[in-house]
Amino acid sequence: MELLRPAGGGSFCEWKGAARYWDVVVDGAALPRVGWSYPSPTPAFALLRNYIAFYAGPLDHCWVDGEIVTPQPGSFYGGWITSDLSGPFKGVPGSMGW
């Protein structure tokens, strides 16, 4: 948590509710809005409270069980793709209408 600072702005998900964003700051360098959380999620997503999700793309490396993940394509989705997942994945050109 010492590497995070609240970022300005927010967004709204019709299922999860209002999101807030987080910057990651390391040695004075900031990666803006690479994390997000739902401080007061809707009842169906109450388990998300007190968790922060991160976009893998802006970070040098992200791992799941020792495997470096591939960021989900595009800048909208925050998925982390590992070798045990199969697509298609949203985010590639032409996939916004799914």
Side-chain angles (χ1 to χ4, degrees), residues 18-73:
R20 71 177 303 183
Y21 289 87
W22 299 86
D23 298 339
V24 172
V25 183
V26 178
D27 295 330
L31 293 172
R33 298 171 58 96
V34 297
W36 71 96
S37 63
Y38 295 93
S40 298
T42 60
F45 290 90
L47 290 174
L48 296 178
R49 184 178 289 112
N50 299 323
Y51 287 94
I52 300 173
F54 294 92
Y55 291 105
L59 303 171
D60 289 339
H61 294 93
C62 297
W63 293 267
V64 172
D65 293 331
E67 179 183 351
I68 295 178
V69 303
T70 300
Q72 188 167 346

